[in-house]
Amino acid sequence: QVQLVESGGGLVQAGGSLRLSCAASERTFSSYVMGWFRQAPGKEREFVAAWIWTVSSTYYPDSVKGRFTIFGDSANNTVYLSLNSLKPEDTGVYYCAAQASRVGYGLGDERRYDYWGQGTQVTVSS
């Protein structure tokens, strides 16, 4: 079973940047697709990024495209999410997730992911 641990959250002003990390307990780059989701207070969890190791492909919803960047470091079994030009509406708990697939399917659907981290809080002040 893959264990995921997120870090890097915090409080930042609008327009600022953060980099979140997701460390996996085992090598994920050959067998898993990695994703990031977020959940704002009173809202459903939403997809923000996915990374497919085997082809180094990335996927983002329009709400974060051009501002967020996901990338993986296979040597350290870690996936990062770089958050730039942050807005107050980006506030929420950010979760890392792993899907047991080499190619990815339903990347934006949280039900398609098999393992989850505990989350890290990101707060963007106006």
Side-chain angles (χ1 to χ4, degrees):
Q1 180 160 341
V2 177
Q3 294 182 334
L4 305 172
V5 179
E6 303 98 332
S7 61
L11 173 64
V12 63
Q13 289 187 331
S17 300
L18 284 173
R19 189 175 76 171
L20 308 182
S21 300
C22 172
S25 61
E26 63 180 68
R27 296 162 72 87
T28 62
F29 64 87
S30 61
S31 302
Y32 295 88
V33 168
M34 304 300 293
W36 284 93
F37 289 74
R38 68 184 179 190
Q39 188 168 22
K43 295 187 177 181
E44 295 185 351
R45 192 152 51 184
E46 64 172 339
F47 168 72
V48 295
W51 166 267
I52 301 179
W53 286 105
T54 53
V55 292
S56 297
S57 293
T58 58
Y59 299 87
Y60 308 94
D62 288 343
S63 59
V64 307
K65 195 174 294 182
R67 300 189 299 120
F68 291 8
T69 303
I70 185 172
F71 58 99
D73 178 356
S74 58
N76 293 309
N77 298 327
T78 300
V79 172
Y80 301 93
L81 184 66
S82 180
L83 316 177
N84 298 302
S85 301
L86 283 163
K87 305 174 182 180
E89 52 263 43
D90 293 319
T91 293
V93 179
Y94 282 68
Y95 297 91
C96 175
Q99 180 186 105
S101 166
R102 293 173 181 256
V103 298
Y105 56 96
L107 294 177
D109 185 349
E110 63 176 304
R111 298 168 297 179
R112 300 294 189 178
Y113 289 80
D114 304 289
Y115 305 102
W116 291 83
Q118 82 289 350
T120 185
Q121 176 71 44
V122 172
T123 303
V124 184
S125 63
S126 58

